[in-house]
């Protein structure tokens, strides 16, 4: 079945450094959503991207959908300890498919 | 606060037993999806219910079954529990069953099978 890979699987950064996670698909995606799951918590919706080449920003977070709609990225500028968690890209077909996730650790 | 609630919070069962997990959707939402999240993994889609009917199913065996009630709350039933069923079970509600709709997740039920 369709699978979306995320890289890296784990990322440790010093507080204040930037962070990027990438989501790659072998097939064209109709849309992509990003969720964040804090340790011990549940996934929380961040953003949805629908259009080719779309870029959306939420404060320090920048989300991008590739021109071919086969990849997406989430970039966090100047990470803070509150950014700790696992970031999932989620694509939707007839169901919601979660990517493999990137676990972010921020070292104070 | 998402408004989605799940019960119980934690549950311990033994292999071969049956379990029922419950989910109350957010007000105004008519669609509930269930996910299984093993430790260190991403959530895996089990199935979705829309207006009391199953509306899609992931790669899970028939011993995973569900119900949705007229108030749109939902149950997940798992029969003949296996050790590999130990996981966090998440339900998520959405306004509609369309693929672009945002899902709001509950806090989950942690199931341990011994």
């Amino acid at each position: 079945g369709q699978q979306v890979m995320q890289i890296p699987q784990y990322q440790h950064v010093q507080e204040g450094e930037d962070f990027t996670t990438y989501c790659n698909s072998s097939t064209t995606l109709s849309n992509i959503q990003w969720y964040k799951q804090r340790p011990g918590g549940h996934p929380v919706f961040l953003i949805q991207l629908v259009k080719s080449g779309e870029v959306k920003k939420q404060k320090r977070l920048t989300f991008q959908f590739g021109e071919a709609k086969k990849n997406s990225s989430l970039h966090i500028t100047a990470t803070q300890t509150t950014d700790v968690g696992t970031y999932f890209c989620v694509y939707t077909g007839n169901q919601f498919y979660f990517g493999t996730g990137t676990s972010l650790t921020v070292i104070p | 606060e998402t408004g989605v609630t799940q019960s119980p919070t934690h549950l311990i069962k033994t292999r071969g037993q049956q379990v029922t997990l419950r989910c109350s959707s957010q007000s105004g939402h008519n669609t509930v999806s269930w996910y299984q999240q093993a430790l260190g993994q991403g959530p895996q889609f089990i199935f979705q219910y829309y207006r009391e009917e199953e509306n899609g199913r992931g790669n899970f065996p028939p011993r995973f079954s569900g119900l949705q009630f007229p108030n749109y709350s939902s149950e997940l039933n798992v029969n003949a529990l296996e050790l590999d069923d130990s996981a966090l079970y998440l339900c998520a509600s959405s306004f509609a069953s369309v693929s672009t709709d945002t899902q709001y997740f509950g806090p989950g039920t942690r199931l341990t099978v011994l």
Side-chain angles (χ1 to χ4, degrees):
Chain A
Q2 196 172 24
Q3 189 174 15
V4 174
M5 300 300 296
Q6 278 185 256
I7 54 172
Q9 186 176 1
Y10 301 97
Q11 184 78 60
H12 291 70
V13 299
Q14 288 288 142
E15 188 172 16
E17 291 183 337
D18 293 355
F19 160 77
T20 304
T21 174
Y22 300 90
C23 187
N24 299 302
S25 170
S26 57
T27 59
T28 301
L29 305 173
S30 58
N31 60 73
I32 200 154
Q33 299 179 352
W34 285 90
Y35 287 75
K36 175 185 177 181
Q37 185 173 22
R38 294 180 187 272
H42 56 274
V44 175
F45 174 79
L46 294 176
I47 205 87
Q48 176 168 262
L49 305 170
V50 179
K51 300 177 183 177
S52 168
E54 188 170 15
V55 178
K56 288 188 177 181
K57 293 189 176 183
Q58 288 180 350
K59 297 183 180 179
R60 295 180 294 104
L61 278 60
T62 301
F63 304 83
Q64 188 164 5
F65 204 6
E67 292 290 340
K69 300 181 76 173
K70 289 185 177 181
N71 56 75
S72 181
S73 64
L74 158 59
H75 179 81
I76 302 178
T77 304
T79 54
Q80 300 175 358
T81 54
T82 53
D83 295 326
V84 165
T86 301
Y87 293 84
F88 292 100
C89 61
V90 179
Y91 68 95
T92 59
N94 57 348
Q95 56 173 278
F96 284 78
Y97 298 89
F98 275 72
T100 49
T102 296
S103 176
L104 172 64
T105 300
V106 178
I107 304 164
Chain B
E1 190 67 42
T2 64
V4 180
T5 60
Q6 292 186 242
S7 63
T9 305
H10 296 87
L11 202 53
I12 299 175
K13 291 284 188 177
T14 56
R15 194 169 45 183
Q17 285 189 311
Q18 177 266 342
V19 69
T20 297
L21 310 181
R22 295 178 174 83
C23 171
S24 292
S25 59
Q26 185 164 317
S27 178
H29 288 183
N30 56 25
T31 303
V32 172
S33 302
W34 285 92
Y35 294 83
Q36 180 195 67
Q37 186 174 25
L39 201 59
Q41 306 291 319
Q44 299 293 313
F45 176 78
I46 303 175
F47 43 56
Q48 181 185 82
Y49 278 84
Y50 170 64
R51 293 189 174 182
E52 303 179 58
E53 297 286 331
E54 188 177 290
N55 185 45
R57 189 179 181 93
N59 189 26
F60 280 81
R63 60 189 184 83
F64 285 79
S65 63
L67 282 173
Q68 188 178 31
F69 300 99
N71 66 355
Y72 303 131
S73 66
S74 178
E75 285 183 355
L76 164 65
N77 299 289
V78 187
N79 293 321
L81 283 167
E82 301 177 359
L83 297 180
D84 285 349
D85 295 333
S86 294
L88 179 68
Y89 288 85
L90 296 160
C91 81
S93 75
S94 53
F95 180 71
S97 65
V98 293
S99 64
T100 53
D101 205 25
T102 301
Q103 293 195 102
Y104 295 87
F105 284 83
T109 294
R110 174 74 62 187
L111 173 65
T112 302
V113 182
L114 302 175

